[in-house]
Amino acid sequence: MLLWLPAYPTFQPGWDQEEVHATFFKCISWQVEETLDAVNCPYHYFCDKTYPSNYPLLVDILVLLFTAASYLVTLVIVIMDLCSGRGRIFLSGSKRFLLPSGPVSLPLIILIFAKGPQINTIFPLSCLGPAILLMALISALSFDNGDDKDFKYTFFVASTVSGILHASLYLDSVVLPYYTGFDALMSSTFSGECESCVCRKEALVVGGKLVRYRGWSLTTFFVVGVLCLRIICKISGETYAGKFLFIKALMERFSWILITVDCVYLTLNSPPERVVLRGSAYGGIFLLIFLQVLKEACNQFTQRLM
């Protein structure tokens, strides 16, 4: 019995289930063939090209350790920031280099996403890449070192914007083939002509139709918009900054809502692979969101008492 597949009568006993699994989820080029059976097989696809084989296990371990360290640093800084009672003033210039959205970690995240299709042994980025991006977005939203001088602040935030956009694009290059293969596997039947040959009732689209999450999404653009408004408020001075503060605050709140929606969606609708690892990752993201909500509630309560 196959773990995910229905009882396809055309699935050959000699085929290796793990090999078929890898072919579908790492395929980057699906070719459509003409078919004579317009009723039962109007669209016939086979995988023409896949990503190269995975990196050694050591690479996955290093990525796992880096991700865990980045999360723990973010969690500790958020908790200390919450306990300090001083809001964002607690974040000093040195601590921001340790955050996932900082000038050290964010380039590493971009590099990891760029090589993501081959990091798929014990820490599959096709499953956990979205959680890493959400962690970087939360880091960028939560901390704003407004004490820097205008040029230094502008350069730092602009580099964060560029890094987030690049990370989102590279993440899509990892997850879109994964979601396409998931759709091809779950919404098709094997034709029996080859290991990846499937019959479909409708055309196969990039990213599939079963999971609609994208790294290059409304969530990313809202976070980028918030960062851009921070730059505008910083360089415009006190005279004009007030005109943008309301819009910035509104966009920040909506960005947090979108991040929460993405996290809930990915928890409920991701392909059923590495369930425990994926649940732990998104559980950690929910914890960061909860702490941010708690911090905002404490700030509002403190302001009303003053």
Side-chain angles (χ1 to χ4, degrees):
M1 292 294 294
L2 297 174
L3 182 62
W4 288 6
L5 308 180
Y8 291 119
T10 53
F11 190 88
Q12 304 300 323
W15 292 348
D16 189 320
Q17 180 182 344
E18 293 185 0
E19 184 178 345
V20 172
H21 178 278
T23 300
F24 273 79
F25 285 92
K26 298 187 71 173
C27 184
I28 54 177
S29 177
W30 287 93
Q31 296 293 330
V32 60
E33 291 183 320
E34 294 184 0
T35 174
L36 299 178
D37 190 353
V39 177
N40 299 316
C41 189
Y43 297 95
H44 187 261
Y45 287 90
F46 70 95
C47 180
D48 182 55
K49 183 179 179 182
T50 61
Y51 281 113
S53 58
N54 296 335
Y55 286 125
L57 179 62
L58 178 61
V59 176
D60 284 64
I61 294 175
L62 291 176
V63 173
L64 173 60
L65 293 176
F66 166 76
T67 304
S70 298
Y71 176 79
L72 290 176
V73 167
T74 305
L75 181 62
V76 169
I77 293 178
V78 169
I79 293 175
M80 295 177 67
D81 191 43
L82 175 63
C83 295
S84 68
R86 292 180 290 173
R88 294 175 180 173
I89 301 176
F90 173 79
L91 183 66
S92 65
S94 60
K95 292 183 177 63
R96 71 185 179 191
F97 288 94
L98 304 174
L99 294 170
S101 58
V104 176
S105 296
L106 190 54
L108 291 176
I109 291 176
I110 295 173
L111 177 62
I112 290 171
F113 285 169
K115 303 298 182 180
Q118 295 173 264
I119 304 174
N120 198 33
T121 306
I122 63 171
F123 192 77
L125 286 185
S126 53
C127 295
L128 303 175
I132 298 176
L133 179 63
L134 291 177
M135 180 177 64
L137 296 180
I138 289 174
S139 171
L141 279 178
S142 298
F143 305 106
D144 181 21
N145 196 28
D147 295 334
D148 285 342
K149 294 181 179 180
D150 291 354
F151 175 77
K152 185 178 180 181
Y153 179 86
T154 301
F155 177 79
F156 177 77
V157 178
S159 63
T160 303
V161 169
S162 176
I164 288 175
L165 293 177
H166 278 84
S168 301
L169 284 175
Y170 281 123
L171 177 62
D172 280 342
S173 70
V174 177
V175 299
L176 289 184
Y178 179 62
Y179 295 151
T180 305
F182 180 62
D183 192 349
L185 195 63
M186 298 302 295
S187 303
S188 312
T189 57
F190 285 102
S191 66
E193 297 184 14
C194 66
E195 292 185 3
S196 64
C197 293
V198 293
C199 290
R200 293 179 56 84
K201 296 296 184 180
E202 57 182 3
L204 185 65
V205 298
V206 176
K209 297 182 179 180
L210 300 181
V211 182
R212 299 187 180 275
Y213 172 80
R214 302 292 183 266
W216 189 265
S217 63
L218 187 63
T219 305
T220 298
F221 280 104
F222 259 84
V223 174
V224 167
V226 170
L227 298 179
C228 292
L229 283 175
R230 287 178 181 177
I231 296 177
I232 294 174
C233 293
K234 181 67 175 179
I235 64 178
S236 61
E238 296 181 359
T239 305
Y240 301 99
K243 299 179 180 180
F244 300 101
L245 289 177
F246 175 75
I247 300 177
K248 180 172 74 69
L250 188 63
M251 289 185 65
E252 284 181 350
R253 287 174 171 80
F254 195 66
S255 297
W256 282 107
I257 293 174
L258 290 175
I259 289 175
T260 305
V261 170
D262 281 350
C263 194
V264 172
Y265 179 83
L266 287 167
T267 302
L268 299 177
N269 296 280
S270 293
E273 186 180 21
R274 309 292 177 94
V275 176
V276 176
L277 188 60
R278 181 165 50 86
S280 301
Y282 292 113
I285 299 299
F286 277 123
L287 178 58
L288 293 178
I289 295 173
F290 170 76
L291 291 175
Q292 176 64 25
V293 173
L294 184 61
K295 185 179 79 170
E296 291 294 329
C298 292
N299 290 339
Q300 292 291 334
F301 181 74
T302 304
Q303 291 176 3
R304 293 188 178 184
L305 292 179
M306 295 177 61

